[in-house]
């Protein structure tokens, strides 16, 4: 068994370590979401936490980790008698991003159920994680159907498995810990709210601290067991402190003054619902217990707000997480100090954050705390010809709700919410022989295949004699996510500030739609003499919005270069992800200038998309009393549909989608 990196040997990352320790003290806090760039010890710290957790008493032989003091009356391995049990280490179960539904919730042995009429249930990861930690690395990349199952289990504390009339239920209460890189996309709001706390992590910029990180990692890689032994004393100290804090937790008093501060803070930051208030109260209580106190102080409330509120105050996907600490301090000061029974303000020797048991005597600064700042955009174009001035970026107008843009036909791409596709989840449309392992049984088709052979197989009892070649796989239809590639004209003809503001608002609206429908997005811009891939295809809609915000304008209109660059992006992406179908959204007034025969060259480039069968929409940005209709001609070359900017804002995309589908029919 691999020796984990010691928790106390992690250098810096104070907020991350504190959030994990608070959940170890009080699992009711609700878990941790760790956001940050790659290579910042996110996974290392989470995996190290399980070694610090106290052992768990379980019923011997129970696959569902029932507590012997109060066994689950509905346990599939039960009933159990209350009484003696055995202890085992707390588990940390990892949920792979690509796991199947059956692997998460468990699976029924369909062949035994059909042939013998018994419930033969194989527990899944939710059963393994009961009373332990469920860890999801890259949780933002988790498929929607798995997110739905996690939400159900987290809300009800139980997992339900329904298969062809056979039902199994078991307890599933776990500490949910997720890590993610925001550049790869954001979480669904429903799952985001299920994490009690969130922390932002980043690599230290202090040379001495970076040296210490490398030194410890190399020492661990050379001799994991020996390195862990050198930190055994510190690990034991933290483990003992967790046990002591758990015993003290029921005695911690949360006064009316602290409760008023919590309620006022949540109201001031306009968080939705009441879960934030409850999580803050539990976190502040755990902070006091961790510091060895029985009273919650204002410092505990402040720290609880910094951990529990940043991910709950976001109003849309493009808002960076974080809190205005000045506003937080003003709120706490305004609503503090009115409780007659406020405790002694002395926070104790360890302070509200504790820190006892940590190996570093001097914690280095961790930066400014907002590590989710949106990425900086480049210049987005080539040097301009003489006289073609570059204008400063225009601000996007207010985004609006759009109708669905979908790719015609039926695909087989990654699960999403945009276009029709054959998927593992959705409504059943037919049956076929399984290719490889059976994942979704079509019961009626299986019975129909097996029924004619029962006499020949010597059936004598009530059970149906089923063989492997009788099994039928259900074919299902659901929705897929697409690659929405935005190709935006940033030339001088688009540079009028009012028009460019409207253009950016329209693209921002479509980006919001792409976020909600779990698409990948890319951004190609063209201006001056060439085109630029401002953002390669990614799941991070935030990054696309940031690049759009800083998009400069000016110069000639190399339309052909933009189309060719977009075609090249799709060619490369088709090699990487052949199942994901693209949708090209070209935002332009249709003009083409610069170079020899720019209009003819743009037409030839457009016909490449039509030849490949790529679905496309041209957003016509031409304005003024005299219109040339160039964007409409370009849409014809692309084999797509054109819509004016005004029609886009006037909620006319419903007709546009029908036109796209009609042309493809």
């Amino acid at each position: 068994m691999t020796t984990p990196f010691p928790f106390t040997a992690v250098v810096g990352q104070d907020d991350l370590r504190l959030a994990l320790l608070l959940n170890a003290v009080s699992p009711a806090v609700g878990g941790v979401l760790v956001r940050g760039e790659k290579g910042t010890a996110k996974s290392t710290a989470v995996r190290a936490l399980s070694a610090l957790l106290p052992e768990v008493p379980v019923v011997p032989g129970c696959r569902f980790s029932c507590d012997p003091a109060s066994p689950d009356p509905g346990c599939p391995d039960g009933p159990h008698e209350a009484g003696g049990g055995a202890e085992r280490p707390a588990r940390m179960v990892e949920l792979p991003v690509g796991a199947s539904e059956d692997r998460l919730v468990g699976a029924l042995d369909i062949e035994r159920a059909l042939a013998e009429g018994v419930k033969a249930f194989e527990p899944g990861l939710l059963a393994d994680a009961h009373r332990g930690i469920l860890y999801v690395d890259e949780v933002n990349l988790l498929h929607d159907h798995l997110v739905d199952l996690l939400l159900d289990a987290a809300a009800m504390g139980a997992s339900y498995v329904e298969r062809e009339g056979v039902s199994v239920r078991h307890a599933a209460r776990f500490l949910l810990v997720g890590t993610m890189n925001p550049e790869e996309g954001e979480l669904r709001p429903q799952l985001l709210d299920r994490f009690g706390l969130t922390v932002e992590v980043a690599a230290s910029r202090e040379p001495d601290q970076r040296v210490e990180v490398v030194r410890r990692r190399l020492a661990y890689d050379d001799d994991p067991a020996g390195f862990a032994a050198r930190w055994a004393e510190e690990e034991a100290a933290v483990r003992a402190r967790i046990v002591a804090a758990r015993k003290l937790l029921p005695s911690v008093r949360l006064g009316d003054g602290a409760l008023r501060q919590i309620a006022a803070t949540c109201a001031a930051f306009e968080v939705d619902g009441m879960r934030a208030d409850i999580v803050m109260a539990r976190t502040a209580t755990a902070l006091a217990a961790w510091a060895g106190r029985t009273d919650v102080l204002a410092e505990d409330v402040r720290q609880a707000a910094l951990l529990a509120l940043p991910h709950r105050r976001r109003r849309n996907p493009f808002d960076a997480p974080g809190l205005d600490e000045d506003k937080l301090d003003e709120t706490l000061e305004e609503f503090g100090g009115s409780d007659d029974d406020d405790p002694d303000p002395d926070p104790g020797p360890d302070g509200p954050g504790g820190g006892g048991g940590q190996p570093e005597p001097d914690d280095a600064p961790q930066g400014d705390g907002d590590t989710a700042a949106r990425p900086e955009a480049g210049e987005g174009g080539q040097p301009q010809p003489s006289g073609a001035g570059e204008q400063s970026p225009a601000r996007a107008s207010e985004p609006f709700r759009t109708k669905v843009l979908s790719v015609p036909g039926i695909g087989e791409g990654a699960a999403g919410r945009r276009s029709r596709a054959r998927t593992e989840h959705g409504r059943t449309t037919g049956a076929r022989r399984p290719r490889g392992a059976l994942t979704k049984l079509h019961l009626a088709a299986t019975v129909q295949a097996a029924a004619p052979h029962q006499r020949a197989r010597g059936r004598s009892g009530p059970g149906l004699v089923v063989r492997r070649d009788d099994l039928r796989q259900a074919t299902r239809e659901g929705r897929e996510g697409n690659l929405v590639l935005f190709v935006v004209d940033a030339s001088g003809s688009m540079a009028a500030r009012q028009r460019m503001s409207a253009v950016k608002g329209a693209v921002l609206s479509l980006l919001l739609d792409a976020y909600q429908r779990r698409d990948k997005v890319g951004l190609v811009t063209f201006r001056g003499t060439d085109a630029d891939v401002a953002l390669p295809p990614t799941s991070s809609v935030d990054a696309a919005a940031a690049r759009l915000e800083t998009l400069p304008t000016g110069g000639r209109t190399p339309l052909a270069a933009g189309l060719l660059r977009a075609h090249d992006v799709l060619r490369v992406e088709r090699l990487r992800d052949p199942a994901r179908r693209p949708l090209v959204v070209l935002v332009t007034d249709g003009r083409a200038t610069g170079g020899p025969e720019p209009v003819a060259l743009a037409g030839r480039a457009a016909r490449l998309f039509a030849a490949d069968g790529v679905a496309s929409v041209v957003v016509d940005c031409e304005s003024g009393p005299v219109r040339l209709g160039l964007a409409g001609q370009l849409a014809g070359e692309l084999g797509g549909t054109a819509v004016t900017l005004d029609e886009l804002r006037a909620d006319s995309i419903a007709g546009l989608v029908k036109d796209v589908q009609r042309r493809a029919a």
Side-chain angles (χ1 to χ4, degrees), residues 134-374:
L134 181 63
Y135 171 50
V136 189
D137 194 13
E138 306 293 353
V139 63
N140 51 322
L141 304 182
L142 201 63
H143 288 305
D144 276 358
H145 67 281
L146 297 182
V147 170
D148 293 338
L149 293 170
L150 276 182
L151 289 173
D152 289 343
M156 297 184 293
S159 174
Y160 293 84
V161 184
E162 304 284 346
R163 292 290 188 278
E164 284 75 36
V166 183
S167 217
V168 175
R169 173 216 166 270
H170 65 82
R173 292 182 294 275
F174 46 83
L175 174 62
L176 182 60
V177 180
T179 58
M180 60 174 284
N181 184 346
E183 293 181 358
E184 296 174 340
E186 287 294 341
L187 274 178
R188 281 174 55 184
Q190 295 92 333
L191 182 57
L192 189 65
D193 191 53
R194 282 292 170 187
F195 287 97
L197 310 179
T198 184
V199 292
E200 301 282 339
V201 296
S204 172
R205 298 299 183 256
E206 295 291 330
D208 291 343
Q209 194 171 76
R210 295 175 74 97
V211 167
E212 186 61 23
V213 169
V214 175
R215 181 181 291 120
R216 293 185 187 184
R217 186 69 211 189
L218 293 178
Y220 170 77
D221 290 342
D222 289 342
D223 182 10
F227 183 82
R230 291 195 292 274
W231 292 92
E233 185 176 343
E234 287 82 356
E235 293 280 287
V238 174
R239 191 179 299 110
R241 189 173 175 185
I242 291 173
V243 173
R246 282 189 173 187
K247 292 180 180 178
L248 183 62
L249 188 64
S251 304
V252 175
R253 186 175 63 94
L254 185 65
D256 289 343
L259 278 173
R260 280 195 294 271
Q261 286 183 318
I262 290 170
T265 301
C266 292
F269 286 99
E270 299 180 345
V271 296
D272 295 329
M274 295 298 297
R275 183 174 285 118
D277 304 62
I278 297 170
V279 171
M280 272 190 67
R282 289 171 175 168
T283 304
T285 304
L287 279 162
W290 176 246
R293 290 185 272 100
T294 56
D295 290 299
V296 174
L297 306 182
E299 291 88 345
D300 300 325
V301 176
R302 186 181 192 279
Q303 183 65 58
L306 292 175
L307 293 173
L309 296 187
H311 61 302
R312 292 188 165 91
R313 60 158 292 276
R314 294 178 58 148
R315 312 311 298 175
N316 68 62
F318 305 140
D319 289 340
L323 290 183
D324 182 341
E325 295 195 29
D326 291 337
K327 180 178 178 180
L328 174 61
D329 291 336
E330 290 173 3
T331 303
L332 293 176
E333 184 177 353
E334 180 181 355
F335 289 89
S338 59
D339 193 352
D340 294 337
D341 56 358
D342 270 349
D344 185 349
D346 180 11
D350 291 322
Q358 305 298 343
E360 296 81 24
D362 296 312
D363 289 326
Q366 293 302 301
D368 58 14
D370 185 6
T371 61
R374 292 180 291 189

